[in-house]
Amino acid sequence: MAVELAAVAAAAAPSLLAYNVSPSPTFLNQALAFALWAAFVVVSGPTTLRGRALPLYAALLLLMGAAGWSWLHGSLPASLAWSALGTLAAAMVVAAGGCGVSADAEDVFAAFCWGWVAAGVVNVVIAAIQVFAPAVPDGSWIALSAIAGRAVGNLRQPNHLSSLLLWSCIAAIGLLELDRLGARGRHWAAALVAAFVFAVVLSASRTGLVSVIILALWGALDRRLSPAARRILVGAPLAYALIWLAMAGWAALSQHPFGGEARLAETDISSSRFGIWRDTLKLIRMHPWTGVGWGEFNLAWTLTPFPHRPIAFFDHTHNLLLQFAVELGLPLATLITALLLWVLLRAARQAWATPGRLGAARRCAVLMVLMIAVHSQLEYPLWYAYFLLPTAWALGFALQGPVAPVRAQPSRLLALAALLLIGATALSVLDYRRVALIFDEDAGAIPLEARIAAGQHSLFFGHHADYAALTTGMPIPGNSRGFERAVHYLLDTRLMIAWAEALDRGGHVDLARDLAARLREFHKPDAIEFFAPCPSGATPVEAARRPFQCERPERAHDWREFLAPGALAAPALPAPRPAAP
């Protein structure tokens, strides 16, 4: 029972927490995922580290090396590097936990499946409330949907909701194959999959539609599944189509919005992905060997001229392979991709070679990994702990060799590593509190300057405090870091304006002009005031008095020029003018 409870908590709790604290809307969800998946590893009692997962560990270690190199030999701030290193180390611990499951492997995987079924059932309810009763969500217990007629779950992203629900579909099939749904198991499985597909339709996720088709392909090709499981999987696209038509009819009769219809009406079927992929390929051609550095895609892309760029601020390429290539360079990206593909193929071969119920469990685990891999070619779910860690566990589980007939002694090393992960997660929550106070309206008794100064000492989140310091325009005692950390997280309109003005005050006028030119490419409404002094058709006298943002740069600047120490400084703001007598 302890394993089942741990699995339900690990799978469901991170996706059900609607409460969030600025500046990160998902930090608490991810902190829950770190702690609860580590607890699941402890409770499931994995045995020794198994050599079959060595290629997976090698890929994770290479990624950790890339993050460390970008920090020690590049310009990535320590706070972002430590976050990446900690996340990858956690994935390694959880993967080892999945690979080390012993003689009770079927029971542990059944518990894993119960966790995702429980998560799916509650998320179906949340999705239905967000679409059919949009006035009910309060933002604390049920998240508000920012997209009319679409379900976003408490993770606030339709694609994340659909991926979770598709995992729930696979988990329901897993329980059916493991004979854990009782005498009427095929009816329960069919009802569960139909409910999960219903909520996928409510999310109107195109990634979800592609994944439903993958379910059908699995059912058609895997002849080792039971006939009932195959019928349910093959029928999933039909259920999707019927539910879609029913929702469209309901929307027409009730005059309520249905997000799926809005998605069909969109002219850009890629939602700007084609544009960001085009720009990414250009960056890869510019930096083919070493890439732009781990975690530096947003900075390099934003500061490189792309006249036809998407107008959203992208911090990821929305494609895992392109992300590796642009940040790590083609040689290292190819090596890591080859290792991960080898691991996935090895897991698939191992799963299909295993007979009986254990083989069915391993095939379900492979499908979960494959599903999130497909999602990763259109989004970046693995950058979130509540997807990365269960993916690592499922991949480790699928990589198992023959299990011992008698349960072996649990690995003390793995248990210790998991307990350390729980402790580190607790410390990260306390560390996050430092920067959360900056954005807490109830903390008004503490001066904002003091809250920002305290937040700048955060180990993992100090860049958020730097952002607050630089965009509020107030002098912060000891603010010597300037833009050194803040610009590596996400460049947005406020930060680009503050940085451009600081460059101008510091004498880097042409860099300031170049940065303003990059901001102009985004066509952001909140930059209108910044460019207001730049009317067209100005007289020669007016043109001579125009500020830097109105002038073209004298030459093209490489994005790395902005990382010179002088360009990252934050010169003092000009002294306020004395009041007129």
Side-chain angles (χ1 to χ4, degrees):
M1 181 59 70
V3 177
E4 284 82 357
L5 291 176
V8 170
S15 69
L16 301 182
L17 181 65
Y19 175 76
N20 67 95
V21 180
S22 294
S24 172
T26 63
F27 170 74
L28 294 179
N29 306 77
Q30 297 196 69
L32 267 179
F34 280 119
L36 294 175
W37 282 109
F40 178 66
V41 169
V42 173
V43 173
S44 61
T47 58
T48 58
L49 297 170
R50 300 199 177 203
R52 289 178 175 270
L54 285 179
L56 175 59
Y57 302 148
L60 293 172
L61 285 172
L62 286 172
L63 290 173
M64 293 174 71
W69 183 270
S70 188
W71 165 37
L72 297 173
H73 298 279
S75 55
L76 189 71
S79 58
L80 295 176
W82 278 113
S83 295
L85 292 170
T87 299
L88 292 167
M92 192 176 300
V93 171
V94 177
C99 195
V101 173
S102 186
D104 52 357
E106 292 180 26
D107 293 335
V108 174
F109 189 77
F112 181 77
C113 290
W114 279 119
W116 291 109
V117 166
V121 168
V122 182
N123 272 280
V124 168
V125 176
I126 292 172
I129 291 173
Q130 289 173 333
V131 173
F132 297 107
V136 172
D138 60 354
S140 295
W141 292 97
I142 299 178
L144 300 168
S145 176
I147 313 170
R150 290 185 68 184
V152 297
N154 280 353
L155 295 176
R156 295 177 173 82
Q157 293 196 48
N159 285 332
H160 285 192
L161 174 62
S162 71
S163 290
L164 183 150
L165 291 164
L166 287 156
W167 272 0
S168 299
C169 289
I170 298 171
I173 296 298
L175 292 175
L176 175 63
E177 295 300 278
L178 292 172
D179 198 19
R180 303 302 171 105
L181 293 177
R184 300 180 63 84
R186 64 182 185 277
H187 300 294
W188 280 111
L192 287 169
V193 170
F196 299 147
V197 170
F198 167 68
V200 171
V201 172
L202 296 186
S203 75
S205 167
R206 286 180 289 224
T207 305
L209 172 58
V210 172
S211 299
V212 168
I213 295 173
I214 292 175
L215 289 180
L217 290 174
W218 177 32
L221 298 176
D222 189 354
R223 298 182 178 276
R224 297 176 63 183
L225 290 171
S226 66
R230 298 186 70 190
R231 286 194 296 270
I232 293 169
L233 291 169
V234 172
L238 177 60
Y240 186 99
L242 293 175
I243 294 168
W244 183 286
L245 292 174
M247 285 299 302
W250 168 81
L253 291 174
S254 64
Q255 300 300 309
H256 281 274
F258 169 43
E261 293 181 327
R263 296 289 276 175
L264 288 177
E266 291 179 0
T267 56
D268 180 8
I269 62 171
S270 74
S271 299
S272 297
R273 287 173 179 80
F274 292 162
I276 198 66
W277 293 343
R278 177 197 61 221
D279 294 348
T280 301
L281 291 172
K282 291 180 181 178
L283 276 177
I284 293 171
R285 287 194 291 268
M286 294 167 63
H287 307 277
W289 301 112
T290 59
V292 300
W294 175 280
E296 300 285 42
F297 168 74
N298 171 257
L299 185 66
W301 173 70
T302 304
L303 298 180
T304 300
F306 289 114
H308 305 292
R309 70 168 76 240
I311 62 173
F313 293 115
F314 280 86
D315 59 353
H316 198 284
T317 66
H318 288 65
N319 180 281
L320 182 63
L321 302 182
L322 287 178
Q323 187 75 18
F324 285 166
V326 73
E327 289 197 342
L328 309 181
L330 291 174
L332 183 56
T334 301
L335 175 58
I336 293 173
T337 301
L339 285 171
L340 292 176
L341 285 175
W342 182 21
V343 167
L344 184 56
L345 289 173
R346 187 174 189 176
R349 290 182 60 186
Q350 178 68 38
W352 261 261
T354 303
R357 293 178 179 176
L358 181 58
R362 288 178 176 174
R363 297 200 303 280
C364 288
V366 170
L367 261 293
M368 286 185 168
V369 176
L370 179 63
M371 199 70 76
I372 210 68
V374 171
H375 187 176
S376 296
Q377 307 316 306
L378 301 169
E379 286 284 337
Y380 50 106
L382 296 179
W383 265 247
Y384 296 87
Y386 41 77
F387 284 126
L388 174 65
L389 300 183
T391 299
W393 191 91
L395 189 51
F397 179 84
L399 283 169
Q400 281 186 333
V403 296
V406 180
R407 181 176 176 83
Q409 188 69 20
S411 169
R412 293 182 179 180
L413 178 61
L414 272 180
L416 176 60
L419 290 172
L420 288 174
L421 177 56
I422 295 173
T425 301
L427 291 176
S428 73
V429 173
L430 295 176
D431 189 46
Y432 183 74
R433 179 62 179 165
R434 288 181 174 183
V435 296
L437 284 173
I438 299 171
F439 306 90
D440 188 354
E441 296 179 357
D442 296 331
I446 306 173
L448 179 60
E449 296 92 331
R451 283 181 275 154
I452 292 176
Q456 287 180 313
H457 292 92
S458 167
L459 177 62
F460 296 108
F461 311 101
H463 50 275
H464 289 297
D466 289 347
Y467 176 91
L470 295 163
T471 56
T472 54
M474 60 176 59
I476 306 299
N479 183 28
S480 60
R481 295 187 181 92
F483 294 86
E484 182 180 334
R485 296 189 301 187
V487 299
H488 293 271
Y489 182 66
L490 177 67
L491 278 173
D492 62 6
T493 303
R494 293 181 64 192
L495 190 56
M496 291 176 76
I497 291 174
W499 194 8
E501 291 175 341
L503 287 167
D504 181 54
R505 293 195 305 273
H508 303 278
V509 181
D510 208 51
L511 281 178
R513 292 171 180 164
D514 192 281
L515 185 55
R518 303 287 74 75
L519 176 59
R520 192 185 291 273
E521 292 172 349
F522 286 95
H523 304 286
K524 290 293 185 181
D526 48 351
I528 292 176
E529 184 179 352
F530 179 62
F531 292 110
C534 310
S536 58
T539 66
V541 174
E542 291 172 335
R545 295 175 179 174
R546 293 196 304 180
F548 71 90
Q549 62 263 39
C550 303
E551 303 296 329
R552 294 179 178 272
E554 295 178 358
R555 66 176 180 87
H557 294 272
D558 184 82
W559 66 275
R560 296 186 191 274
E561 294 182 53
F562 289 88
L563 302 180
L568 292 169
L573 294 170
R577 297 178 181 178

